[in-house]
Amino acid sequence: MSTASAIAVAVTFVWLGMVLAISFLEAPLKFRAPNVTLQIGLGIGRLVFRALNTVEVVFALVLLAILLSGPTPARIAVAFAVAFVMLAIQLIAVRPRLTRRSDQVLAGNDGPRSRVHYVYVGLEVVKVAALIAAGILLLTV
């Protein structure tokens, strides 16, 4: 395995682990902690997801550079493309809507619950599947 491939495998699985730990463990569990109000949970969530998304963009750029630096099997490129597109949709289309909604809640405005969060989670599930596929495929090359 080349150095670039080893880095790609490491970055892929670290990215996967971060998404699983934050999106599917930390995010739902923080609201079950004693004395964590909705406002506190939203404030923590905004900070954590801003940091996660920043790291995800860095990981995506590292992986993209590795993919573009040499011949990459199409199946690996497609798996990463799916992960990159899911991240882009989350950052460009979904997160701004979640931020507007959390701004309203933090300002004390009650309203109907937003279903946009479910879109974000759905995109996370697809991204996780793509990262698993990409990581496994990288290990088989």
Side-chain angles (χ1 to χ4, degrees), residues 39-80:
Q39 288 77 12
I40 291 171
L42 287 175
I44 293 168
R46 286 169 72 153
L47 288 172
V48 169
F49 276 91
R50 186 178 307 124
L52 171 64
N53 292 152
T54 300
V55 172
E56 287 185 286
V57 168
V58 170
F59 285 170
L61 291 173
V62 167
L63 289 165
L64 183 60
I66 291 170
L67 295 174
L68 294 175
S69 71
T72 302
R75 62 190 185 277
I76 294 173
V78 168
F80 278 119

PDB file of all heavy atoms in Angstrom, residues 39-80:
ATOM      1  N   GLN A  39     -32.139  25.101  24.946  1.00  0.00           N
ATOM      2  CA  GLN A  39     -31.257  26.187  24.533  1.00  0.00           C
ATOM      3  C   GLN A  39     -29.786  25.813  24.719  1.00  0.00           C
ATOM      4  O   GLN A  39     -28.958  26.067  23.848  1.00  0.00           O
ATOM      5  CB  GLN A  39     -31.578  27.475  25.307  1.00  0.00           C
ATOM      6  CG  GLN A  39     -32.869  28.133  24.897  1.00  0.00           C
ATOM      7  CD  GLN A  39     -34.111  27.444  25.469  1.00  0.00           C
ATOM      8  OE1 GLN A  39     -34.024  26.603  26.358  1.00  0.00           O
ATOM      9  NE2 GLN A  39     -35.264  27.777  24.926  1.00  0.00           N
ATOM     10  N   ILE A  40     -29.448  25.204  25.841  1.00  0.00           N
ATOM     11  CA  ILE A  40     -28.065  24.784  26.082  1.00  0.00           C
ATOM     12  C   ILE A  40     -27.666  23.707  25.086  1.00  0.00           C
ATOM     13  O   ILE A  40     -26.583  23.750  24.496  1.00  0.00           O
ATOM     14  CB  ILE A  40     -27.873  24.301  27.533  1.00  0.00           C
ATOM     15  CG1 ILE A  40     -27.989  25.480  28.495  1.00  0.00           C
ATOM     16  CG2 ILE A  40     -26.534  23.591  27.703  1.00  0.00           C
ATOM     17  CD1 ILE A  40     -28.029  25.090  29.966  1.00  0.00           C
ATOM     18  N   GLY A  41     -28.535  22.743  24.866  1.00  0.00           N
ATOM     19  CA  GLY A  41     -28.251  21.673  23.910  1.00  0.00           C
ATOM     20  C   GLY A  41     -28.042  22.198  22.506  1.00  0.00           C
ATOM     21  O   GLY A  41     -27.132  21.764  21.793  1.00  0.00           O
ATOM     22  N   LEU A  42     -28.874  23.157  22.102  1.00  0.00           N
ATOM     23  CA  LEU A  42     -28.710  23.755  20.775  1.00  0.00           C
ATOM     24  C   LEU A  42     -27.398  24.524  20.674  1.00  0.00           C
ATOM     25  O   LEU A  42     -26.710  24.458  19.657  1.00  0.00           O
ATOM     26  CB  LEU A  42     -29.881  24.682  20.453  1.00  0.00           C
ATOM     27  CG  LEU A  42     -31.213  24.010  20.131  1.00  0.00           C
ATOM     28  CD1 LEU A  42     -32.301  25.061  19.949  1.00  0.00           C
ATOM     29  CD2 LEU A  42     -31.100  23.135  18.898  1.00  0.00           C
ATOM     30  N   GLY A  43     -27.056  25.259  21.727  1.00  0.00           N
ATOM     31  CA  GLY A  43     -25.797  26.007  21.731  1.00  0.00           C
ATOM     32  C   GLY A  43     -24.599  25.079  21.612  1.00  0.00           C
ATOM     33  O   GLY A  43     -23.674  25.332  20.823  1.00  0.00           O
ATOM     34  N   ILE A  44     -24.611  23.995  22.364  1.00  0.00           N
ATOM     35  CA  ILE A  44     -23.530  23.009  22.291  1.00  0.00           C
ATOM     36  C   ILE A  44     -23.507  22.376  20.904  1.00  0.00           C
ATOM     37  O   ILE A  44     -22.447  22.246  20.283  1.00  0.00           O
ATOM     38  CB  ILE A  44     -23.703  21.928  23.376  1.00  0.00           C
ATOM     39  CG1 ILE A  44     -23.504  22.533  24.766  1.00  0.00           C
ATOM     40  CG2 ILE A  44     -22.741  20.760  23.140  1.00  0.00           C
ATOM     41  CD1 ILE A  44     -23.932  21.610  25.906  1.00  0.00           C
ATOM     42  N   GLY A  45     -24.676  22.000  20.412  1.00  0.00           N
ATOM     43  CA  GLY A  45     -24.762  21.354  19.109  1.00  0.00           C
ATOM     44  C   GLY A  45     -24.218  22.223  17.989  1.00  0.00           C
ATOM     45  O   GLY A  45     -23.513  21.739  17.097  1.00  0.00           O
ATOM     46  N   ARG A  46     -24.524  23.500  18.040  1.00  0.00           N
ATOM     47  CA  ARG A  46     -24.029  24.405  17.004  1.00  0.00           C
ATOM     48  C   ARG A  46     -22.507  24.461  17.002  1.00  0.00           C
ATOM     49  O   ARG A  46     -21.868  24.405  15.952  1.00  0.00           O
ATOM     50  CB  ARG A  46     -24.614  25.799  17.202  1.00  0.00           C
ATOM     51  CG  ARG A  46     -26.079  25.857  16.809  1.00  0.00           C
ATOM     52  CD  ARG A  46     -26.722  27.128  17.254  1.00  0.00           C
ATOM     53  NE  ARG A  46     -26.258  28.264  16.466  1.00  0.00           N
ATOM     54  CZ  ARG A  46     -26.964  29.358  16.267  1.00  0.00           C
ATOM     55  NH1 ARG A  46     -28.167  29.467  16.794  1.00  0.00           N
ATOM     56  NH2 ARG A  46     -26.488  30.341  15.564  1.00  0.00           N
ATOM     57  N   LEU A  47     -21.915  24.540  18.188  1.00  0.00           N
ATOM     58  CA  LEU A  47     -20.448  24.569  18.280  1.00  0.00           C
ATOM     59  C   LEU A  47     -19.827  23.265  17.798  1.00  0.00           C
ATOM     60  O   LEU A  47     -18.857  23.259  17.028  1.00  0.00           O
ATOM     61  CB  LEU A  47     -20.020  24.834  19.727  1.00  0.00           C
ATOM     62  CG  LEU A  47     -20.245  26.232  20.270  1.00  0.00           C
ATOM     63  CD1 LEU A  47     -19.959  26.273  21.762  1.00  0.00           C
ATOM     64  CD2 LEU A  47     -19.366  27.227  19.530  1.00  0.00           C
ATOM     65  N   VAL A  48     -20.392  22.156  18.250  1.00  0.00           N
ATOM     66  CA  VAL A  48     -19.837  20.849  17.912  1.00  0.00           C
ATOM     67  C   VAL A  48     -19.962  20.587  16.411  1.00  0.00           C
ATOM     68  O   VAL A  48     -19.005  20.141  15.772  1.00  0.00           O
ATOM     69  CB  VAL A  48     -20.516  19.738  18.740  1.00  0.00           C
ATOM     70  CG1 VAL A  48     -20.158  18.361  18.229  1.00  0.00           C
ATOM     71  CG2 VAL A  48     -20.141  19.872  20.213  1.00  0.00           C
ATOM     72  N   PHE A  49     -21.126  20.868  15.839  1.00  0.00           N
ATOM     73  CA  PHE A  49     -21.308  20.593  14.413  1.00  0.00           C
ATOM     74  C   PHE A  49     -20.526  21.555  13.533  1.00  0.00           C
ATOM     75  O   PHE A  49     -20.076  21.176  12.451  1.00  0.00           O
ATOM     76  CB  PHE A  49     -22.794  20.536  14.035  1.00  0.00           C
ATOM     77  CG  PHE A  49     -23.375  19.185  14.299  1.00  0.00           C
ATOM     78  CD1 PHE A  49     -23.962  18.889  15.512  1.00  0.00           C
ATOM     79  CD2 PHE A  49     -23.282  18.186  13.350  1.00  0.00           C
ATOM     80  CE1 PHE A  49     -24.465  17.628  15.768  1.00  0.00           C
ATOM     81  CE2 PHE A  49     -23.783  16.911  13.596  1.00  0.00           C
ATOM     82  CZ  PHE A  49     -24.377  16.636  14.812  1.00  0.00           C
ATOM     83  N   ARG A  50     -20.318  22.783  13.984  1.00  0.00           N
ATOM     84  CA  ARG A  50     -19.462  23.701  13.223  1.00  0.00           C
ATOM     85  C   ARG A  50     -18.043  23.140  13.184  1.00  0.00           C
ATOM     86  O   ARG A  50     -17.399  23.119  12.129  1.00  0.00           O
ATOM     87  CB  ARG A  50     -19.472  25.100  13.844  1.00  0.00           C
ATOM     88  CG  ARG A  50     -18.719  26.127  12.997  1.00  0.00           C
ATOM     89  CD  ARG A  50     -18.772  27.540  13.577  1.00  0.00           C
ATOM     90  NE  ARG A  50     -20.135  27.968  13.841  1.00  0.00           N
ATOM     91  CZ  ARG A  50     -20.581  28.386  15.033  1.00  0.00           C
ATOM     92  NH1 ARG A  50     -19.757  28.447  16.067  1.00  0.00           N
ATOM     93  NH2 ARG A  50     -21.822  28.763  15.193  1.00  0.00           N
ATOM     94  N   ALA A  51     -17.566  22.650  14.320  1.00  0.00           N
ATOM     95  CA  ALA A  51     -16.218  22.060  14.365  1.00  0.00           C
ATOM     96  C   ALA A  51     -16.155  20.790  13.523  1.00  0.00           C
ATOM     97  O   ALA A  51     -15.205  20.588  12.755  1.00  0.00           O
ATOM     98  CB  ALA A  51     -15.826  21.768  15.814  1.00  0.00           C
ATOM     99  N   LEU A  52     -17.151  19.916  13.669  1.00  0.00           N
ATOM    100  CA  LEU A  52     -17.177  18.679  12.881  1.00  0.00           C
ATOM    101  C   LEU A  52     -17.161  18.997  11.395  1.00  0.00           C
ATOM    102  O   LEU A  52     -16.372  18.426  10.638  1.00  0.00           O
ATOM    103  CB  LEU A  52     -18.404  17.831  13.221  1.00  0.00           C
ATOM    104  CG  LEU A  52     -18.640  16.616  12.313  1.00  0.00           C
ATOM    105  CD1 LEU A  52     -17.509  15.610  12.435  1.00  0.00           C
ATOM    106  CD2 LEU A  52     -19.993  15.974  12.614  1.00  0.00           C
ATOM    107  N   ASN A  53     -18.029  19.891  10.969  1.00  0.00           N
ATOM    108  CA  ASN A  53     -18.111  20.207   9.540  1.00  0.00           C
ATOM    109  C   ASN A  53     -16.817  20.820   9.020  1.00  0.00           C
ATOM    110  O   ASN A  53     -16.420  20.556   7.881  1.00  0.00           O
ATOM    111  CB  ASN A  53     -19.295  21.120   9.253  1.00  0.00           C
ATOM    112  CG  ASN A  53     -20.640  20.461   9.451  1.00  0.00           C
ATOM    113  OD1 ASN A  53     -21.626  21.127   9.751  1.00  0.00           O
ATOM    114  ND2 ASN A  53     -20.718  19.144   9.280  1.00  0.00           N
ATOM    115  N   THR A  54     -16.136  21.604   9.840  1.00  0.00           N
ATOM    116  CA  THR A  54     -14.850  22.168   9.437  1.00  0.00           C
ATOM    117  C   THR A  54     -13.834  21.051   9.209  1.00  0.00           C
ATOM    118  O   THR A  54     -13.122  21.038   8.193  1.00  0.00           O
ATOM    119  CB  THR A  54     -14.338  23.161  10.499  1.00  0.00           C
ATOM    120  OG1 THR A  54     -15.291  24.219  10.638  1.00  0.00           O
ATOM    121  CG2 THR A  54     -12.981  23.735  10.120  1.00  0.00           C
ATOM    122  N   VAL A  55     -13.762  20.114  10.137  1.00  0.00           N
ATOM    123  CA  VAL A  55     -12.841  18.982   9.997  1.00  0.00           C
ATOM    124  C   VAL A  55     -13.236  18.137   8.785  1.00  0.00           C
ATOM    125  O   VAL A  55     -12.372  17.683   8.027  1.00  0.00           O
ATOM    126  CB  VAL A  55     -12.812  18.138  11.288  1.00  0.00           C
ATOM    127  CG1 VAL A  55     -12.014  16.856  11.093  1.00  0.00           C
ATOM    128  CG2 VAL A  55     -12.226  18.953  12.435  1.00  0.00           C
ATOM    129  N   GLU A  56     -14.540  17.951   8.573  1.00  0.00           N
ATOM    130  CA  GLU A  56     -14.997  17.176   7.419  1.00  0.00           C
ATOM    131  C   GLU A  56     -14.548  17.809   6.101  1.00  0.00           C
ATOM    132  O   GLU A  56     -14.135  17.102   5.173  1.00  0.00           O
ATOM    133  CB  GLU A  56     -16.520  17.045   7.422  1.00  0.00           C
ATOM    134  CG  GLU A  56     -17.051  16.098   8.463  1.00  0.00           C
ATOM    135  CD  GLU A  56     -18.546  15.936   8.315  1.00  0.00           C
ATOM    136  OE1 GLU A  56     -19.289  16.876   8.674  1.00  0.00           O
ATOM    137  OE2 GLU A  56     -18.967  14.868   7.829  1.00  0.00           O
ATOM    138  N   VAL A  57     -14.626  19.114   6.011  1.00  0.00           N
ATOM    139  CA  VAL A  57     -14.193  19.800   4.792  1.00  0.00           C
ATOM    140  C   VAL A  57     -12.688  19.590   4.583  1.00  0.00           C
ATOM    141  O   VAL A  57     -12.244  19.310   3.464  1.00  0.00           O
ATOM    142  CB  VAL A  57     -14.554  21.300   4.832  1.00  0.00           C
ATOM    143  CG1 VAL A  57     -13.855  22.078   3.727  1.00  0.00           C
ATOM    144  CG2 VAL A  57     -16.066  21.477   4.742  1.00  0.00           C
ATOM    145  N   VAL A  58     -11.916  19.688   5.653  1.00  0.00           N
ATOM    146  CA  VAL A  58     -10.476  19.449   5.540  1.00  0.00           C
ATOM    147  C   VAL A  58     -10.220  18.017   5.081  1.00  0.00           C
ATOM    148  O   VAL A  58      -9.417  17.778   4.162  1.00  0.00           O
ATOM    149  CB  VAL A  58      -9.761  19.746   6.872  1.00  0.00           C
ATOM    150  CG1 VAL A  58      -8.305  19.275   6.829  1.00  0.00           C
ATOM    151  CG2 VAL A  58      -9.832  21.233   7.200  1.00  0.00           C
ATOM    152  N   PHE A  59     -10.898  17.054   5.696  1.00  0.00           N
ATOM    153  CA  PHE A  59     -10.729  15.651   5.294  1.00  0.00           C
ATOM    154  C   PHE A  59     -11.125  15.452   3.827  1.00  0.00           C
ATOM    155  O   PHE A  59     -10.436  14.757   3.088  1.00  0.00           O
ATOM    156  CB  PHE A  59     -11.556  14.724   6.188  1.00  0.00           C
ATOM    157  CG  PHE A  59     -10.987  14.510   7.561  1.00  0.00           C
ATOM    158  CD1 PHE A  59     -11.746  13.870   8.519  1.00  0.00           C
ATOM    159  CD2 PHE A  59      -9.716  14.923   7.917  1.00  0.00           C
ATOM    160  CE1 PHE A  59     -11.244  13.639   9.795  1.00  0.00           C
ATOM    161  CE2 PHE A  59      -9.213  14.712   9.190  1.00  0.00           C
ATOM    162  CZ  PHE A  59      -9.975  14.064  10.130  1.00  0.00           C
ATOM    163  N   ALA A  60     -12.235  16.049   3.421  1.00  0.00           N
ATOM    164  CA  ALA A  60     -12.683  15.909   2.033  1.00  0.00           C
ATOM    165  C   ALA A  60     -11.648  16.491   1.072  1.00  0.00           C
ATOM    166  O   ALA A  60     -11.363  15.899   0.024  1.00  0.00           O
ATOM    167  CB  ALA A  60     -14.043  16.584   1.841  1.00  0.00           C
ATOM    168  N   LEU A  61     -11.055  17.619   1.424  1.00  0.00           N
ATOM    169  CA  LEU A  61     -10.040  18.233   0.558  1.00  0.00           C
ATOM    170  C   LEU A  61      -8.780  17.364   0.490  1.00  0.00           C
ATOM    171  O   LEU A  61      -8.182  17.220  -0.585  1.00  0.00           O
ATOM    172  CB  LEU A  61      -9.701  19.639   1.044  1.00  0.00           C
ATOM    173  CG  LEU A  61     -10.816  20.675   0.865  1.00  0.00           C
ATOM    174  CD1 LEU A  61     -10.440  21.990   1.543  1.00  0.00           C
ATOM    175  CD2 LEU A  61     -11.138  20.880  -0.603  1.00  0.00           C
ATOM    176  N   VAL A  62      -8.369  16.796   1.623  1.00  0.00           N
ATOM    177  CA  VAL A  62      -7.212  15.891   1.636  1.00  0.00           C
ATOM    178  C   VAL A  62      -7.493  14.687   0.748  1.00  0.00           C
ATOM    179  O   VAL A  62      -6.663  14.301  -0.093  1.00  0.00           O
ATOM    180  CB  VAL A  62      -6.863  15.451   3.076  1.00  0.00           C
ATOM    181  CG1 VAL A  62      -5.883  14.284   3.086  1.00  0.00           C
ATOM    182  CG2 VAL A  62      -6.323  16.623   3.879  1.00  0.00           C
ATOM    183  N   LEU A  63      -8.667  14.095   0.915  1.00  0.00           N
ATOM    184  CA  LEU A  63      -9.014  12.921   0.113  1.00  0.00           C
ATOM    185  C   LEU A  63      -9.126  13.271  -1.364  1.00  0.00           C
ATOM    186  O   LEU A  63      -8.671  12.509  -2.225  1.00  0.00           O
ATOM    187  CB  LEU A  63     -10.308  12.294   0.632  1.00  0.00           C
ATOM    188  CG  LEU A  63     -10.162  11.595   1.984  1.00  0.00           C
ATOM    189  CD1 LEU A  63     -11.522  11.319   2.605  1.00  0.00           C
ATOM    190  CD2 LEU A  63      -9.354  10.313   1.844  1.00  0.00           C
ATOM    191  N   LEU A  64      -9.700  14.407  -1.675  1.00  0.00           N
ATOM    192  CA  LEU A  64      -9.814  14.836  -3.066  1.00  0.00           C
ATOM    193  C   LEU A  64      -8.424  15.007  -3.686  1.00  0.00           C
ATOM    194  O   LEU A  64      -8.180  14.577  -4.818  1.00  0.00           O
ATOM    195  CB  LEU A  64     -10.616  16.132  -3.167  1.00  0.00           C
ATOM    196  CG  LEU A  64     -10.868  16.666  -4.568  1.00  0.00           C
ATOM    197  CD1 LEU A  64     -11.643  15.658  -5.415  1.00  0.00           C
ATOM    198  CD2 LEU A  64     -11.615  17.989  -4.503  1.00  0.00           C
ATOM    199  N   ALA A  65      -7.507  15.612  -2.952  1.00  0.00           N
ATOM    200  CA  ALA A  65      -6.141  15.789  -3.457  1.00  0.00           C
ATOM    201  C   ALA A  65      -5.486  14.438  -3.722  1.00  0.00           C
ATOM    202  O   ALA A  65      -4.817  14.261  -4.752  1.00  0.00           O
ATOM    203  CB  ALA A  65      -5.310  16.598  -2.458  1.00  0.00           C
ATOM    204  N   ILE A  66      -5.686  13.485  -2.815  1.00  0.00           N
ATOM    205  CA  ILE A  66      -5.116  12.147  -3.014  1.00  0.00           C
ATOM    206  C   ILE A  66      -5.746  11.482  -4.230  1.00  0.00           C
ATOM    207  O   ILE A  66      -5.041  10.893  -5.058  1.00  0.00           O
ATOM    208  CB  ILE A  66      -5.283  11.291  -1.744  1.00  0.00           C
ATOM    209  CG1 ILE A  66      -4.394  11.827  -0.618  1.00  0.00           C
ATOM    210  CG2 ILE A  66      -4.964   9.818  -2.030  1.00  0.00           C
ATOM    211  CD1 ILE A  66      -4.662  11.220   0.744  1.00  0.00           C
ATOM    212  N   LEU A  67      -7.059  11.590  -4.357  1.00  0.00           N
ATOM    213  CA  LEU A  67      -7.748  10.966  -5.487  1.00  0.00           C
ATOM    214  C   LEU A  67      -7.288  11.556  -6.822  1.00  0.00           C
ATOM    215  O   LEU A  67      -7.164  10.839  -7.815  1.00  0.00           O
ATOM    216  CB  LEU A  67      -9.260  11.115  -5.348  1.00  0.00           C
ATOM    217  CG  LEU A  67      -9.907  10.392  -4.173  1.00  0.00           C
ATOM    218  CD1 LEU A  67     -11.382  10.761  -4.077  1.00  0.00           C
ATOM    219  CD2 LEU A  67      -9.734   8.895  -4.279  1.00  0.00           C
ATOM    220  N   LEU A  68      -7.053  12.855  -6.836  1.00  0.00           N
ATOM    221  CA  LEU A  68      -6.656  13.521  -8.076  1.00  0.00           C
ATOM    222  C   LEU A  68      -5.172  13.344  -8.396  1.00  0.00           C
ATOM    223  O   LEU A  68      -4.751  13.606  -9.521  1.00  0.00           O
ATOM    224  CB  LEU A  68      -6.996  15.014  -8.007  1.00  0.00           C
ATOM    225  CG  LEU A  68      -8.483  15.357  -7.944  1.00  0.00           C
ATOM    226  CD1 LEU A  68      -8.671  16.855  -7.757  1.00  0.00           C
ATOM    227  CD2 LEU A  68      -9.218  14.849  -9.179  1.00  0.00           C
ATOM    228  N   SER A  69      -4.392  12.880  -7.415  1.00  0.00           N
ATOM    229  CA  SER A  69      -2.943  12.770  -7.621  1.00  0.00           C
ATOM    230  C   SER A  69      -2.512  11.527  -8.394  1.00  0.00           C
ATOM    231  O   SER A  69      -1.358  11.420  -8.780  1.00  0.00           O
ATOM    232  CB  SER A  69      -2.222  12.798  -6.273  1.00  0.00           C
ATOM    233  OG  SER A  69      -2.465  11.590  -5.558  1.00  0.00           O
ATOM    234  N   GLY A  70      -3.421  10.617  -8.599  1.00  0.00           N
ATOM    235  CA  GLY A  70      -3.042   9.410  -9.322  1.00  0.00           C
ATOM    236  C   GLY A  70      -4.264   8.682  -9.823  1.00  0.00           C
ATOM    237  O   GLY A  70      -5.393   9.103  -9.569  1.00  0.00           O
ATOM    238  N   PRO A  71      -4.038   7.603 -10.510  1.00  0.00           N
ATOM    239  CA  PRO A  71      -5.198   6.849 -11.000  1.00  0.00           C
ATOM    240  C   PRO A  71      -6.010   6.288  -9.832  1.00  0.00           C
ATOM    241  O   PRO A  71      -5.450   5.745  -8.884  1.00  0.00           O
ATOM    242  CB  PRO A  71      -4.581   5.733 -11.844  1.00  0.00           C
ATOM    243  CG  PRO A  71      -3.160   5.643 -11.407  1.00  0.00           C
ATOM    244  CD  PRO A  71      -2.771   6.972 -10.864  1.00  0.00           C
ATOM    245  N   THR A  72      -7.314   6.485  -9.902  1.00  0.00           N
ATOM    246  CA  THR A  72      -8.221   6.006  -8.859  1.00  0.00           C
ATOM    247  C   THR A  72      -9.303   5.159  -9.512  1.00  0.00           C
ATOM    248  O   THR A  72      -9.942   5.616 -10.463  1.00  0.00           O
ATOM    249  CB  THR A  72      -8.875   7.194  -8.121  1.00  0.00           C
ATOM    250  OG1 THR A  72      -7.843   8.014  -7.573  1.00  0.00           O
ATOM    251  CG2 THR A  72      -9.793   6.725  -7.015  1.00  0.00           C
ATOM    252  N   PRO A  73      -9.509   3.945  -8.993  1.00  0.00           N
ATOM    253  CA  PRO A  73     -10.594   3.135  -9.547  1.00  0.00           C
ATOM    254  C   PRO A  73     -11.929   3.880  -9.452  1.00  0.00           C
ATOM    255  O   PRO A  73     -12.203   4.579  -8.469  1.00  0.00           O
ATOM    256  CB  PRO A  73     -10.592   1.885  -8.670  1.00  0.00           C
ATOM    257  CG  PRO A  73      -9.188   1.800  -8.127  1.00  0.00           C
ATOM    258  CD  PRO A  73      -8.758   3.233  -7.962  1.00  0.00           C
ATOM    259  N   ALA A  74     -12.748   3.733 -10.467  1.00  0.00           N
ATOM    260  CA  ALA A  74     -14.024   4.455 -10.540  1.00  0.00           C
ATOM    261  C   ALA A  74     -14.906   4.186  -9.328  1.00  0.00           C
ATOM    262  O   ALA A  74     -15.545   5.108  -8.818  1.00  0.00           O
ATOM    263  CB  ALA A  74     -14.757   4.084 -11.826  1.00  0.00           C
ATOM    264  N   ARG A  75     -14.942   2.959  -8.859  1.00  0.00           N
ATOM    265  CA  ARG A  75     -15.825   2.632  -7.726  1.00  0.00           C
ATOM    266  C   ARG A  75     -15.424   3.402  -6.461  1.00  0.00           C
ATOM    267  O   ARG A  75     -16.276   3.812  -5.682  1.00  0.00           O
ATOM    268  CB  ARG A  75     -15.873   1.124  -7.487  1.00  0.00           C
ATOM    269  CG  ARG A  75     -14.564   0.494  -7.127  1.00  0.00           C
ATOM    270  CD  ARG A  75     -14.644  -1.043  -7.141  1.00  0.00           C
ATOM    271  NE  ARG A  75     -13.416  -1.629  -6.675  1.00  0.00           N
ATOM    272  CZ  ARG A  75     -12.334  -1.835  -7.414  1.00  0.00           C
ATOM    273  NH1 ARG A  75     -12.341  -1.493  -8.686  1.00  0.00           N
ATOM    274  NH2 ARG A  75     -11.260  -2.380  -6.897  1.00  0.00           N
ATOM    275  N   ILE A  76     -14.129   3.626  -6.283  1.00  0.00           N
ATOM    276  CA  ILE A  76     -13.662   4.407  -5.131  1.00  0.00           C
ATOM    277  C   ILE A  76     -14.006   5.876  -5.328  1.00  0.00           C
ATOM    278  O   ILE A  76     -14.493   6.536  -4.400  1.00  0.00           O
ATOM    279  CB  ILE A  76     -12.148   4.208  -4.914  1.00  0.00           C
ATOM    280  CG1 ILE A  76     -11.866   2.758  -4.506  1.00  0.00           C
ATOM    281  CG2 ILE A  76     -11.613   5.180  -3.874  1.00  0.00           C
ATOM    282  CD1 ILE A  76     -10.396   2.399  -4.431  1.00  0.00           C
ATOM    283  N   ALA A  77     -13.783   6.381  -6.523  1.00  0.00           N
ATOM    284  CA  ALA A  77     -14.109   7.775  -6.822  1.00  0.00           C
ATOM    285  C   ALA A  77     -15.598   8.041  -6.624  1.00  0.00           C
ATOM    286  O   ALA A  77     -15.988   9.076  -6.069  1.00  0.00           O
ATOM    287  CB  ALA A  77     -13.681   8.124  -8.244  1.00  0.00           C
ATOM    288  N   VAL A  78     -16.439   7.106  -7.034  1.00  0.00           N
ATOM    289  CA  VAL A  78     -17.891   7.272  -6.875  1.00  0.00           C
ATOM    290  C   VAL A  78     -18.272   7.280  -5.397  1.00  0.00           C
ATOM    291  O   VAL A  78     -19.073   8.117  -4.955  1.00  0.00           O
ATOM    292  CB  VAL A  78     -18.654   6.177  -7.656  1.00  0.00           C
ATOM    293  CG1 VAL A  78     -20.128   6.145  -7.260  1.00  0.00           C
ATOM    294  CG2 VAL A  78     -18.501   6.390  -9.152  1.00  0.00           C
ATOM    295  N   ALA A  79     -17.711   6.372  -4.623  1.00  0.00           N
ATOM    296  CA  ALA A  79     -18.026   6.328  -3.190  1.00  0.00           C
ATOM    297  C   ALA A  79     -17.655   7.645  -2.514  1.00  0.00           C
ATOM    298  O   ALA A  79     -18.439   8.203  -1.737  1.00  0.00           O
ATOM    299  CB  ALA A  79     -17.316   5.149  -2.519  1.00  0.00           C
ATOM    300  N   PHE A  80     -16.460   8.155  -2.820  1.00  0.00           N
ATOM    301  CA  PHE A  80     -16.061   9.440  -2.246  1.00  0.00           C
ATOM    302  C   PHE A  80     -16.916  10.576  -2.776  1.00  0.00           C
ATOM    303  O   PHE A  80     -17.263  11.496  -2.023  1.00  0.00           O
ATOM    304  CB  PHE A  80     -14.581   9.714  -2.480  1.00  0.00           C
ATOM    305  CG  PHE A  80     -13.688   9.030  -1.484  1.00  0.00           C
ATOM    306  CD1 PHE A  80     -12.750   8.109  -1.908  1.00  0.00           C
ATOM    307  CD2 PHE A  80     -13.791   9.289  -0.129  1.00  0.00           C
ATOM    308  CE1 PHE A  80     -11.924   7.468  -1.003  1.00  0.00           C
ATOM    309  CE2 PHE A  80     -12.983   8.657   0.789  1.00  0.00           C
ATOM    310  CZ  PHE A  80     -12.045   7.740   0.352  1.00  0.00           C
TER     311      PHE A  80
END
